[in-house]
Amino acid sequence: LKVSAQLEMPGGGYKVLATVINGDTMPIIHLAPAEIYASISPEAAAKMKSFLKLRRDVLRAYPYAKLAAVQLKFINDSVAHISNEKAKKKFIKKTEAELKNQFEKDLKKLTVTQGRILIKLIDRETGSTSYALVKELRGGLQAFFWQGLARLFGSNLKSEYKAEAEDQLIESIVQQIERGELKF
């Protein structure tokens, strides 16, 4: 038996469909479906939070690592055609100044963790550690200086990317990016 019932709400009432069950009038209200998930343990929640933070950090650092690989190839290809050592150094300094002007503000916004990830991803993309790249392009003294500065902030320009060991999670995130499953 379907009837109409008056619901009393704060600020007034309104009519809804109702049914009578055992002499009691029950309103019929259609609600949107709700999804119910099982609760997870605090440890699993902490791991998930940590993974999501890592994913965010990789997504932030990855484009810069790809750009570093492209720029390194450009520099190496360009320097290969310059026979004069002085001209090579001048070209490298000019390119460095242009890149610094273009990306310094963005790179300063990276967190320390994102910077560490960037150092590892540069090794992944170029096949050389950041220390080796600075040493090759700017010399040993510059590499020593930047390594010392990095160590002050708890980073290491000599960090190598180990996809099969400690950097497995980073590698899985990068592969998702490369397959187009994640957008950066």
Side-chain angles (χ1 to χ4, degrees):
L1 172 72
K2 297 221 178 184
V3 295
S4 198
Q6 180 78 23
L7 280 180
E8 291 298 321
M9 301 293 289
Y14 60 94
K15 290 185 178 185
V16 295
L17 285 177
T19 187
V20 179
I21 300 173
N22 297 330
D24 195 8
T25 305
M26 304 293 289
I28 299 173
I29 301 173
H30 296 284
L31 300 174
E35 293 184 38
I36 300 172
Y37 299 98
S39 64
I40 60 174
S41 70
E43 295 83 19
K47 282 184 180 179
M48 177 61 93
K49 184 177 178 181
S50 175
F51 175 78
L52 292 174
K53 182 181 179 301
L54 177 66
R55 186 175 75 177
R56 180 200 67 206
D57 292 344
V58 170
L59 287 169
R60 181 96 159 104
Y62 182 73
Y64 296 111
K66 290 297 277 185
L67 180 68
V70 169
Q71 288 298 320
L72 180 63
K73 183 173 180 358
F74 167 73
I75 290 169
N76 286 337
D77 291 348
S78 299
V79 167
H81 300 304
I82 303 172
S83 58
N84 183 338
E85 199 62 36
K86 188 175 180 181
K88 283 181 184 182
K89 287 184 179 188
K90 185 177 179 181
F91 174 79
I92 290 171
K93 279 196 171 199
K94 179 181 173 247
T95 306
E96 177 189 0
E98 290 170 359
L99 291 171
K100 189 175 183 180
N101 186 39
Q102 188 175 1
F103 297 106
E104 185 176 28
K105 288 179 188 171
D106 292 336
L107 290 173
K108 281 185 173 182
K109 292 178 186 175
L110 294 178
T111 65
V112 172
T113 302
Q114 290 166 350
R116 286 184 189 136
I117 291 169
L118 178 59
I119 289 168
K120 288 189 172 249
L121 289 175
I122 286 173
D123 182 35
R124 179 188 189 273
E125 295 300 316
T126 65
S128 297
T129 65
S130 297
Y131 181 84
L133 293 173
V134 173
K135 187 174 181 180
E136 175 189 335
L137 296 171
R138 295 298 314 267
L141 187 60
Q142 286 285 321
F144 178 77
F145 170 77
W146 289 110
Q147 172 67 355
L149 189 62
R151 297 302 279 165
L152 283 175
F153 291 97
S155 296
N156 184 359
L157 296 181
K158 296 179 182 178
S159 294
E160 293 181 359
Y161 187 76
K162 297 177 180 139
E164 302 300 321
E166 65 206 46
D167 299 319
Q168 259 182 331
L169 285 176
I170 294 173
E171 181 64 21
S172 71
I173 295 166
V174 169
Q175 287 180 6
Q176 287 178 330
I177 294 169
E178 290 175 348
R179 287 191 303 261
E181 295 170 10
L182 287 175
K183 303 287 185 231
F184 59 86

